[in-house]
């Protein structure tokens, strides 16, 4: 009897430990209704994945919980979107902040869109600020992005004041936002 009680207690303790490990509960989408015939449908799309920022000396900072959000369409500006990078960081010493790449033109086909820009001035909400403000000192260059079905890739170079130049590469998958 003691052995059965021990096994039941151990099983219950194991289940309780694994019930909520504090990690975010992510559900990935298997289809993307946010892009139809190459056009955004006005549904904000959230992508969860990995962002790797590599500095000019080759050192890399990896964020395995990077959350990017695309918002745009189907209004009169259906060929434009904004990209929100939530709690983004390029280096361990950089505090996380909300960053936005506003009003960017894209082209699309099927359930995919693509875009590239030589340079874009991002916007951010920095400590002590209300709302997004342009950050010309953080101008992004060599900006390239694609959403292909449920997969998203974003890359750009940014010269971060007082920290150096970084090449950021992001890969994420569409999640079901609840």
């Amino acid at each position: 009897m003691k052995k059965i009680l021990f096994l039941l207690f151990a099983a219950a303790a194991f289940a309780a430990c694994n019930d909520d490990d504090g990690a975010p509960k992510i559900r990935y989408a298997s289809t993307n209704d946010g892009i139809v015939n190459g056009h955004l449908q006005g549904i904000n799309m959230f992508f969860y994945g990995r962002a790797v920022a590599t500095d000019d000396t080759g050192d890399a900072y990896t964020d395995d919980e990077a959350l990017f959000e695309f918002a745009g369409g189907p209004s009169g500006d259906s060929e434009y979107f904004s990209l929100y990078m939530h709690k983004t960081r390029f280096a361990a010493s950089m505090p996380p902040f909300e960053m936005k790449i506003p009003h960017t033109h894209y082209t699309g086909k099927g359930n995919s869109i693509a875009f590239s820009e030589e340079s874009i001035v991002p916007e951010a909400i920095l400590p002590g600020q209300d709302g997004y403000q342009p950050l010309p000192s953080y101008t992004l260059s060599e900006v390239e992005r694609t959403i292909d079905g449920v997969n998203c890739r974003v890359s750009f170079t940014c010269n971060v004041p007082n920290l150096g130049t970084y090449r950021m590469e992001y890969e994420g998958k569409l999640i079901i936002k609840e």
Side-chain angles (χ1 to χ4, degrees):
M1 182 68 162
K2 284 184 182 180
K3 191 174 187 180
I4 293 172
L5 287 174
F6 173 76
L7 290 173
L8 288 172
F9 176 77
F14 180 76
C17 288
N18 286 324
D19 230 7
D20 186 13
D21 60 4
K25 303 296 181 211
I26 303 296
R27 290 185 29 212
Y28 292 100
S30 57
T31 61
N32 185 349
D33 298 330
I35 304 172
V36 175
N37 296 325
H39 296 281
L40 294 173
Q41 299 300 299
I43 300 168
N44 287 20
M45 296 178 291
F46 293 85
F47 293 86
Y48 186 79
R50 171 182 281 184
V52 178
T54 306
D55 68 18
D56 47 10
T57 67
D59 290 333
Y61 170 77
T62 301
D63 179 359
D64 287 319
E65 296 181 352
L67 180 64
F68 284 21
E69 174 185 0
F70 286 80
S75 68
D77 286 341
S78 63
E79 301 296 317
Y80 291 87
F81 69 90
S82 292
L83 167 61
Y84 297 85
M85 294 176 273
H86 298 292
K87 296 182 182 175
T88 195
R89 294 169 52 168
F90 301 130
S93 60
M94 181 179 167
F97 62 94
E98 296 295 305
M99 190 171 183
K100 175 173 107 174
I101 299 176
H103 205 68
T104 303
H105 184 266
Y106 71 89
T107 59
K109 182 178 181 181
N111 70 341
S112 300
I113 63 169
F115 42 97
S116 65
E117 296 284 341
E118 232 175 88
S119 67
I120 296 175
V121 174
E123 297 177 359
I125 301 173
L126 298 175
Q129 286 184 338
D130 290 325
Y132 286 93
Q133 303 294 320
L135 292 178
S137 62
Y138 282 74
T139 296
L140 307 179
S141 60
E142 303 171 29
V143 182
E144 297 177 332
R145 293 168 231 138
T146 60
I147 297 175
D148 187 12
V150 297
N151 299 306
C152 174
R153 287 184 174 75
V154 176
S155 62
F156 56 80
T157 299
C158 184
N159 186 358
V160 180
N162 302 317
L163 290 178
T165 301
Y166 293 84
R167 180 70 182 166
M168 200 285 300
E169 303 281 339
Y170 171 82
E171 287 191 28
K173 289 188 109 15
L174 183 65
I175 63 171
I176 299 168
K177 190 79 170 158
E178 298 184 40

